[in-house]
PDB file of all heavy atoms in Angstrom:
ATOM      1  N   LYS K 203       2.415 -21.567  -8.572  1.00  0.00           N
ATOM      2  CA  LYS K 203       1.352 -22.513  -8.966  1.00  0.00           C
ATOM      3  C   LYS K 203       0.593 -23.005  -7.736  1.00  0.00           C
ATOM      4  O   LYS K 203      -0.626 -23.109  -7.753  1.00  0.00           O
ATOM      5  CB  LYS K 203       1.944 -23.696  -9.741  1.00  0.00           C
ATOM      6  CG  LYS K 203       2.510 -23.257 -11.070  1.00  0.00           C
ATOM      7  CD  LYS K 203       2.856 -24.417 -11.992  1.00  0.00           C
ATOM      8  CE  LYS K 203       3.548 -23.896 -13.241  1.00  0.00           C
ATOM      9  NZ  LYS K 203       5.009 -23.736 -13.101  1.00  0.00           N
ATOM     10  N   ARG K 204       1.320 -23.301  -6.666  1.00  0.00           N
ATOM     11  CA  ARG K 204       0.694 -23.786  -5.435  1.00  0.00           C
ATOM     12  C   ARG K 204      -0.259 -22.716  -4.859  1.00  0.00           C
ATOM     13  O   ARG K 204      -1.389 -23.005  -4.484  1.00  0.00           O
ATOM     14  CB  ARG K 204       1.790 -24.134  -4.406  1.00  0.00           C
ATOM     15  CG  ARG K 204       1.284 -24.514  -3.045  1.00  0.00           C
ATOM     16  CD  ARG K 204       0.566 -25.864  -3.054  1.00  0.00           C
ATOM     17  NE  ARG K 204       0.049 -26.222  -1.742  1.00  0.00           N
ATOM     18  CZ  ARG K 204      -1.102 -26.851  -1.550  1.00  0.00           C
ATOM     19  NH1 ARG K 204      -1.855 -27.204  -2.572  1.00  0.00           N
ATOM     20  NH2 ARG K 204      -1.505 -27.157  -0.329  1.00  0.00           N
ATOM     21  N   ILE K 205       0.203 -21.479  -4.828  1.00  0.00           N
ATOM     22  CA  ILE K 205      -0.617 -20.394  -4.269  1.00  0.00           C
ATOM     23  C   ILE K 205      -1.856 -20.185  -5.144  1.00  0.00           C
ATOM     24  O   ILE K 205      -2.959 -19.944  -4.664  1.00  0.00           O
ATOM     25  CB  ILE K 205       0.213 -19.081  -4.166  1.00  0.00           C
ATOM     26  CG1 ILE K 205       1.474 -19.294  -3.334  1.00  0.00           C
ATOM     27  CG2 ILE K 205      -0.603 -17.921  -3.632  1.00  0.00           C
ATOM     28  CD1 ILE K 205       1.312 -19.268  -1.847  1.00  0.00           C
ATOM     29  N   LYS K 206      -1.660 -20.321  -6.460  1.00  0.00           N
ATOM     30  CA  LYS K 206      -2.773 -20.130  -7.403  1.00  0.00           C
ATOM     31  C   LYS K 206      -3.806 -21.248  -7.236  1.00  0.00           C
ATOM     32  O   LYS K 206      -5.012 -20.991  -7.212  1.00  0.00           O
ATOM     33  CB  LYS K 206      -2.228 -20.091  -8.824  1.00  0.00           C
ATOM     34  CG  LYS K 206      -3.091 -19.262  -9.697  1.00  0.00           C
ATOM     35  CD  LYS K 206      -2.396 -18.745 -10.920  1.00  0.00           C
ATOM     36  CE  LYS K 206      -3.341 -17.875 -11.684  1.00  0.00           C
ATOM     37  NZ  LYS K 206      -4.277 -18.317 -12.524  1.00  0.00           N
ATOM     38  N   GLU K 207      -3.302 -22.461  -7.095  1.00  0.00           N
ATOM     39  CA  GLU K 207      -4.193 -23.618  -6.863  1.00  0.00           C
ATOM     40  C   GLU K 207      -5.119 -23.365  -5.673  1.00  0.00           C
ATOM     41  O   GLU K 207      -6.267 -23.779  -5.655  1.00  0.00           O
ATOM     42  CB  GLU K 207      -3.325 -24.815  -6.451  1.00  0.00           C
ATOM     43  CG  GLU K 207      -3.151 -25.915  -7.470  1.00  0.00           C
ATOM     44  CD  GLU K 207      -1.995 -26.830  -7.005  1.00  0.00           C
ATOM     45  OE1 GLU K 207      -1.865 -27.124  -5.778  1.00  0.00           O
ATOM     46  OE2 GLU K 207      -1.212 -27.183  -7.883  1.00  0.00           O
ATOM     47  N   LEU K 208      -4.558 -22.693  -4.664  1.00  0.00           N
ATOM     48  CA  LEU K 208      -5.327 -22.421  -3.441  1.00  0.00           C
ATOM     49  C   LEU K 208      -6.200 -21.162  -3.575  1.00  0.00           C
ATOM     50  O   LEU K 208      -6.784 -20.703  -2.606  1.00  0.00           O
ATOM     51  CB  LEU K 208      -4.374 -22.266  -2.246  1.00  0.00           C
ATOM     52  CG  LEU K 208      -3.609 -23.528  -1.860  1.00  0.00           C
ATOM     53  CD1 LEU K 208      -2.528 -23.209  -0.829  1.00  0.00           C
ATOM     54  CD2 LEU K 208      -4.548 -24.587  -1.295  1.00  0.00           C
ATOM     55  N   LYS K 209      -6.234 -20.642  -4.788  1.00  0.00           N
ATOM     56  CA  LYS K 209      -7.041 -19.446  -5.111  1.00  0.00           C
ATOM     57  C   LYS K 209      -6.631 -18.228  -4.264  1.00  0.00           C
ATOM     58  O   LYS K 209      -7.474 -17.478  -3.755  1.00  0.00           O
ATOM     59  CB  LYS K 209      -8.542 -19.736  -4.952  1.00  0.00           C
ATOM     60  CG  LYS K 209      -9.012 -20.943  -5.768  1.00  0.00           C
ATOM     61  CD  LYS K 209     -10.452 -20.816  -6.149  1.00  0.00           C
ATOM     62  CE  LYS K 209     -10.980 -21.977  -6.978  1.00  0.00           C
ATOM     63  NZ  LYS K 209     -10.037 -22.680  -7.859  1.00  0.00           N
ATOM     64  N   LEU K 210      -5.341 -18.075  -4.106  1.00  0.00           N
ATOM     65  CA  LEU K 210      -4.824 -16.954  -3.321  1.00  0.00           C
ATOM     66  C   LEU K 210      -4.167 -15.899  -4.220  1.00  0.00           C
ATOM     67  O   LEU K 210      -3.116 -15.347  -3.908  1.00  0.00           O
ATOM     68  CB  LEU K 210      -3.824 -17.478  -2.276  1.00  0.00           C
ATOM     69  CG  LEU K 210      -4.424 -18.361  -1.177  1.00  0.00           C
ATOM     70  CD1 LEU K 210      -3.343 -19.088  -0.387  1.00  0.00           C
ATOM     71  CD2 LEU K 210      -5.314 -17.545  -0.240  1.00  0.00           C
ATOM     72  N   GLU K 211      -4.827 -15.626  -5.353  1.00  0.00           N
ATOM     73  CA  GLU K 211      -4.265 -14.660  -6.314  1.00  0.00           C
ATOM     74  C   GLU K 211      -4.058 -13.277  -5.696  1.00  0.00           C
ATOM     75  O   GLU K 211      -3.134 -12.559  -6.067  1.00  0.00           O
ATOM     76  CB  GLU K 211      -5.180 -14.499  -7.537  1.00  0.00           C
ATOM     77  CG  GLU K 211      -5.053 -15.603  -8.561  1.00  0.00           C
ATOM     78  CD  GLU K 211      -6.072 -16.702  -8.326  1.00  0.00           C
ATOM     79  OE1 GLU K 211      -6.670 -16.722  -7.224  1.00  0.00           O
ATOM     80  OE2 GLU K 211      -6.254 -17.521  -9.235  1.00  0.00           O
ATOM     81  N   GLU K 212      -4.936 -12.910  -4.756  1.00  0.00           N
ATOM     82  CA  GLU K 212      -4.798 -11.587  -4.133  1.00  0.00           C
ATOM     83  C   GLU K 212      -3.487 -11.495  -3.344  1.00  0.00           C
ATOM     84  O   GLU K 212      -2.837 -10.452  -3.320  1.00  0.00           O
ATOM     85  CB  GLU K 212      -5.988 -11.282  -3.214  1.00  0.00           C
ATOM     86  CG  GLU K 212      -7.283 -11.013  -3.960  1.00  0.00           C
ATOM     87  CD  GLU K 212      -7.149  -9.943  -5.044  1.00  0.00           C
ATOM     88  OE1 GLU K 212      -6.605  -8.871  -4.765  1.00  0.00           O
ATOM     89  OE2 GLU K 212      -7.574 -10.215  -6.196  1.00  0.00           O
ATOM     90  N   ASP K 213      -3.095 -12.611  -2.732  1.00  0.00           N
ATOM     91  CA  ASP K 213      -1.797 -12.656  -2.039  1.00  0.00           C
ATOM     92  C   ASP K 213      -0.667 -12.418  -3.035  1.00  0.00           C
ATOM     93  O   ASP K 213       0.288 -11.687  -2.754  1.00  0.00           O
ATOM     94  CB  ASP K 213      -1.550 -14.041  -1.416  1.00  0.00           C
ATOM     95  CG  ASP K 213      -2.195 -14.181  -0.051  1.00  0.00           C
ATOM     96  OD1 ASP K 213      -3.018 -13.328   0.301  1.00  0.00           O
ATOM     97  OD2 ASP K 213      -1.866 -15.156   0.646  1.00  0.00           O
ATOM     98  N   LEU K 214      -0.773 -13.077  -4.187  1.00  0.00           N
ATOM     99  CA  LEU K 214       0.281 -12.948  -5.200  1.00  0.00           C
ATOM    100  C   LEU K 214       0.429 -11.496  -5.636  1.00  0.00           C
ATOM    101  O   LEU K 214       1.531 -10.960  -5.682  1.00  0.00           O
ATOM    102  CB  LEU K 214      -0.038 -13.818  -6.416  1.00  0.00           C
ATOM    103  CG  LEU K 214       0.109 -15.318  -6.187  1.00  0.00           C
ATOM    104  CD1 LEU K 214      -0.513 -16.104  -7.326  1.00  0.00           C
ATOM    105  CD2 LEU K 214       1.579 -15.692  -6.040  1.00  0.00           C
ATOM    106  N   LYS K 215      -0.712 -10.881  -5.943  1.00  0.00           N
ATOM    107  CA  LYS K 215      -0.678  -9.480  -6.396  1.00  0.00           C
ATOM    108  C   LYS K 215      -0.042  -8.602  -5.323  1.00  0.00           C
ATOM    109  O   LYS K 215       0.811  -7.761  -5.605  1.00  0.00           O
ATOM    110  CB  LYS K 215      -2.108  -8.985  -6.661  1.00  0.00           C
ATOM    111  CG  LYS K 215      -2.539  -9.211  -8.093  1.00  0.00           C
ATOM    112  CD  LYS K 215      -3.852  -8.485  -8.344  1.00  0.00           C
ATOM    113  CE  LYS K 215      -4.807  -9.440  -9.029  1.00  0.00           C
ATOM    114  NZ  LYS K 215      -6.212  -9.157  -8.807  1.00  0.00           N
ATOM    115  N   TYR K 216      -0.465  -8.799  -4.094  1.00  0.00           N
ATOM    116  CA  TYR K 216       0.037  -7.979  -2.982  1.00  0.00           C
ATOM    117  C   TYR K 216       1.543  -8.195  -2.796  1.00  0.00           C
ATOM    118  O   TYR K 216       2.319  -7.235  -2.733  1.00  0.00           O
ATOM    119  CB  TYR K 216      -0.723  -8.335  -1.704  1.00  0.00           C
ATOM    120  CG  TYR K 216      -0.222  -7.614  -0.484  1.00  0.00           C
ATOM    121  CD1 TYR K 216      -0.601  -6.295  -0.229  1.00  0.00           C
ATOM    122  CD2 TYR K 216       0.638  -8.243   0.417  1.00  0.00           C
ATOM    123  CE1 TYR K 216      -0.135  -5.623   0.896  1.00  0.00           C
ATOM    124  CE2 TYR K 216       1.105  -7.578   1.542  1.00  0.00           C
ATOM    125  CZ  TYR K 216       0.724  -6.270   1.778  1.00  0.00           C
ATOM    126  OH  TYR K 216       1.197  -5.611   2.881  1.00  0.00           O
TER     127      TYR K 216
END
Side-chain angles (χ1 to χ4, degrees):
K203 294 191 186 86
R204 174 69 181 143
I205 303 280
K206 209 158 183 278
E207 253 166 40
L208 294 170
K209 305 208 179 330
L210 293 167
E211 280 93 346
E212 289 308 311
D213 276 13
L214 288 167
K215 269 190 228 154
Y216 176 80

